[in-house]
Amino acid sequence: MMRIHLAMTVFLAGLSAEAALATENTAPASLKNISIDDTALHTRYKEAPFAFGTFALTNHGTTDFLLRGITSPGCQSVTSNRNSQVAIQSPSQTYDIFQRMAVPHEGTLFFPTSGYHLICHGLKVTYQPGHTLDFVFHFQNVGDVTVPFRMQPIVEEKHVGP
């Protein structure tokens, strides 16, 4: 009888360890695994109705995430843009990659000025270099991450904008 009890205890202990490992490997996605770094906000002329943001988005976890959009209280809308697109076109004329973007596990996605980046349409605040503007990244099933983007010095370009 003692052998059966001991064997059953060892068997159950083995199952518990296996279950713990399985839970560890399939742990639900968590916002603590997301980091958004190298954030910066840019514009090319004073009084611009838009600004563009650059950043790096890293998923340190073992589960993929789905980004469902980016918003900001300082923007009428936030969409994606590519350096070859006209930055002032309306959000409805642009496919927004941030509305349904997979963020792979253990990976980093970069959004530089030379490629895809975010556009803040209808800037509601005065652009002042050194100040910050918060952007909220909305992730499906895990929540939101709010990140400040620092306004960079204005790089004025003639013939940009309306």
Side-chain angles (χ1 to χ4, degrees):
M1 186 75 144
M2 183 65 122
R3 284 184 184 174
I4 293 174
H5 180 68
L6 182 59
M8 186 60 83
T9 302
V10 169
F11 176 73
L12 290 175
L15 283 179
S16 295
E18 217 176 288
L21 285 173
T23 302
E24 193 175 293
N25 291 336
T26 59
S30 170
L31 288 178
K32 70 180 181 179
N33 293 326
I34 290 288
S35 65
I36 303 166
D37 303 300
D38 302 324
T39 60
L41 204 57
H42 311 268
T43 192
R44 292 199 171 107
Y45 65 99
K46 283 186 172 189
E47 309 304 321
F50 65 90
F52 57 97
T54 57
F55 59 97
L57 173 58
T58 302
N59 179 353
H60 302 278
T62 57
T63 305
D64 294 351
F65 284 89
L66 184 62
L67 180 63
R68 294 303 307 226
I70 302 172
T71 59
S72 173
C75 308
Q76 288 179 0
S77 65
V78 178
T79 63
S80 62
N81 193 53
R82 193 165 170 214
N83 67 337
S84 62
Q85 292 175 325
V86 177
I88 59 172
Q89 69 190 53
S90 75
S92 63
Q93 296 172 320
T94 305
Y95 173 70
D96 183 8
I97 64 170
F98 300 132
Q99 288 300 312
R100 191 169 177 82
M101 185 179 69
V103 183
H105 61 282
E106 298 175 350
T108 299
L109 303 173
F110 295 94
F111 298 92
T113 55
S114 61
Y116 279 101
H117 48 271
L118 69 79
I119 287 285
C120 167
H121 296 273
L123 192 57
K124 295 179 183 179
V125 298
T126 302
Y127 190 96
Q128 295 182 345
H131 288 208
T132 60
L133 182 60
D134 285 344
F135 286 83
V136 183
F137 289 70
H138 306 280
F139 294 95
Q140 183 170 310
N141 299 328
V142 290
D144 300 337
V145 175
T146 301
V147 183
F149 279 60
R150 183 160 308 281
M151 296 177 188
Q152 302 302 304
I154 298 170
V155 178
E156 294 220 18
E157 291 183 15
K158 304 253 187 246
H159 312 296
V160 176

Short mmCIF file of all heavy atoms in Angstrom, two decimals, residues 2 22 25-26 30 55 57 59 62 68 74 77-78 85 97 100 109 121:
data_model
loop_
_atom_site.label_atom_id
_atom_site.label_comp_id
_atom_site.label_asym_id
_atom_site.label_seq_id
_atom_site.Cartn_x
_atom_site.Cartn_y
_atom_site.Cartn_z
N MET A 2 1.96 1.18 0.75
CA MET A 2 2.88 2.31 0.83
C MET A 2 3.52 2.58 -0.53
O MET A 2 3.70 3.71 -0.90
CB MET A 2 3.94 2.03 1.90
CG MET A 2 4.88 3.17 2.09
SD MET A 2 3.98 4.57 2.73
CE MET A 2 4.88 4.84 4.19
N ALA A 22 4.64 23.71 -19.13
CA ALA A 22 3.72 24.02 -20.23
C ALA A 22 3.12 25.40 -20.05
O ALA A 22 3.00 26.18 -20.99
CB ALA A 22 2.61 22.97 -20.29
N ASN A 25 5.75 28.07 -20.99
CA ASN A 25 5.99 28.20 -22.42
C ASN A 25 4.82 28.80 -23.18
O ASN A 25 4.98 29.30 -24.28
CB ASN A 25 6.35 26.84 -23.04
CG ASN A 25 7.72 26.37 -22.57
OD1 ASN A 25 8.55 27.18 -22.20
ND2 ASN A 25 7.94 25.08 -22.57
N THR A 26 3.63 28.73 -22.62
CA THR A 26 2.46 29.28 -23.30
C THR A 26 1.85 30.42 -22.49
O THR A 26 0.67 30.65 -22.53
CB THR A 26 1.40 28.19 -23.54
OG1 THR A 26 1.01 27.65 -22.28
CG2 THR A 26 1.92 27.10 -24.44
N SER A 30 1.99 39.73 -22.33
CA SER A 30 1.97 40.73 -21.27
C SER A 30 2.62 42.01 -21.77
O SER A 30 3.62 41.97 -22.49
CB SER A 30 2.73 40.19 -20.06
OG SER A 30 2.93 41.21 -19.11
N PHE A 55 10.33 55.54 -34.25
CA PHE A 55 10.47 54.74 -33.04
C PHE A 55 10.91 53.32 -33.37
O PHE A 55 10.94 52.92 -34.54
CB PHE A 55 9.14 54.69 -32.26
CG PHE A 55 7.98 54.11 -33.03
CD1 PHE A 55 7.62 52.78 -32.86
CD2 PHE A 55 7.25 54.88 -33.91
CE1 PHE A 55 6.55 52.24 -33.56
CE2 PHE A 55 6.18 54.37 -34.61
CZ PHE A 55 5.83 53.03 -34.44
N LEU A 57 9.98 49.37 -31.95
CA LEU A 57 9.00 48.60 -31.18
C LEU A 57 9.54 47.19 -30.99
O LEU A 57 9.79 46.49 -31.97
CB LEU A 57 7.66 48.58 -31.94
CG LEU A 57 6.54 47.71 -31.41
CD1 LEU A 57 6.17 48.08 -29.99
CD2 LEU A 57 5.32 47.86 -32.32
N ASN A 59 9.28 43.38 -29.02
CA ASN A 59 8.53 42.38 -28.26
C ASN A 59 9.56 41.42 -27.67
O ASN A 59 10.17 40.63 -28.39
CB ASN A 59 7.56 41.64 -29.20
CG ASN A 59 6.78 40.56 -28.49
OD1 ASN A 59 7.01 40.26 -27.33
ND2 ASN A 59 5.84 39.97 -29.21
N THR A 62 7.69 35.65 -25.72
CA THR A 62 7.66 34.47 -26.59
C THR A 62 6.32 34.34 -27.31
O THR A 62 6.08 33.33 -27.97
CB THR A 62 7.92 33.19 -25.77
OG1 THR A 62 6.94 33.11 -24.72
CG2 THR A 62 9.32 33.20 -25.18
N ARG A 68 -3.26 47.21 -32.72
CA ARG A 68 -4.55 47.56 -33.31
C ARG A 68 -4.71 49.04 -33.60
O ARG A 68 -5.76 49.48 -34.03
CB ARG A 68 -5.69 47.09 -32.40
CG ARG A 68 -5.79 45.59 -32.26
CD ARG A 68 -5.97 44.91 -33.59
NE ARG A 68 -7.08 45.47 -34.32
CZ ARG A 68 -8.01 44.81 -34.94
NH1 ARG A 68 -7.97 43.53 -34.96
NH2 ARG A 68 -8.99 45.43 -35.56
N GLY A 74 -2.99 64.70 -28.70
CA GLY A 74 -2.51 65.89 -29.39
C GLY A 74 -2.68 65.85 -30.90
O GLY A 74 -2.20 66.75 -31.60
N SER A 77 -5.84 62.58 -35.70
CA SER A 77 -5.72 61.15 -36.01
C SER A 77 -4.25 60.80 -36.16
O SER A 77 -3.41 61.68 -36.37
CB SER A 77 -6.49 60.81 -37.29
OG SER A 77 -5.91 61.46 -38.40
N VAL A 78 -3.96 59.51 -36.04
CA VAL A 78 -2.60 59.01 -36.21
C VAL A 78 -2.66 57.86 -37.20
O VAL A 78 -3.46 56.94 -37.05
CB VAL A 78 -2.01 58.51 -34.87
CG1 VAL A 78 -0.61 57.93 -35.08
CG2 VAL A 78 -1.98 59.63 -33.84
N GLN A 85 5.40 58.79 -49.63
CA GLN A 85 4.04 59.30 -49.69
C GLN A 85 4.03 60.79 -49.37
O GLN A 85 4.95 61.30 -48.73
CB GLN A 85 3.13 58.59 -48.68
CG GLN A 85 2.88 57.14 -48.97
CD GLN A 85 2.09 56.49 -47.84
OE1 GLN A 85 2.27 56.83 -46.68
NE2 GLN A 85 1.23 55.56 -48.19
N ILE A 97 -0.80 50.87 -41.67
CA ILE A 97 -0.24 49.58 -41.25
C ILE A 97 -0.38 49.36 -39.75
O ILE A 97 -0.33 48.22 -39.29
CB ILE A 97 1.25 49.43 -41.66
CG1 ILE A 97 2.13 50.46 -40.96
CG2 ILE A 97 1.41 49.48 -43.16
CD1 ILE A 97 3.63 50.22 -41.12
N ARG A 100 -3.49 46.98 -37.90
CA ARG A 100 -3.50 45.52 -37.76
C ARG A 100 -2.10 45.00 -38.06
O ARG A 100 -1.87 44.36 -39.07
CB ARG A 100 -4.53 44.91 -38.70
CG ARG A 100 -4.80 43.47 -38.44
CD ARG A 100 -6.02 43.01 -39.23
NE ARG A 100 -6.24 41.62 -39.04
CZ ARG A 100 -6.86 41.08 -38.01
NH1 ARG A 100 -7.33 41.84 -37.05
NH2 ARG A 100 -7.03 39.79 -37.92
N LEU A 109 10.87 45.93 -34.47
CA LEU A 109 10.47 46.60 -35.70
C LEU A 109 10.91 48.06 -35.61
O LEU A 109 10.69 48.71 -34.59
CB LEU A 109 8.95 46.52 -35.87
CG LEU A 109 8.35 45.11 -35.89
CD1 LEU A 109 6.82 45.19 -35.88
CD2 LEU A 109 8.84 44.34 -37.08
N HIS A 121 -1.81 63.61 -37.75
CA HIS A 121 -2.59 64.53 -38.58
C HIS A 121 -3.35 65.50 -37.67
O HIS A 121 -3.85 65.10 -36.62
CB HIS A 121 -3.62 63.76 -39.42
CG HIS A 121 -3.01 62.84 -40.41
ND1 HIS A 121 -2.65 63.24 -41.66
CD2 HIS A 121 -2.71 61.51 -40.33
CE1 HIS A 121 -2.15 62.21 -42.33
NE2 HIS A 121 -2.17 61.15 -41.53
#
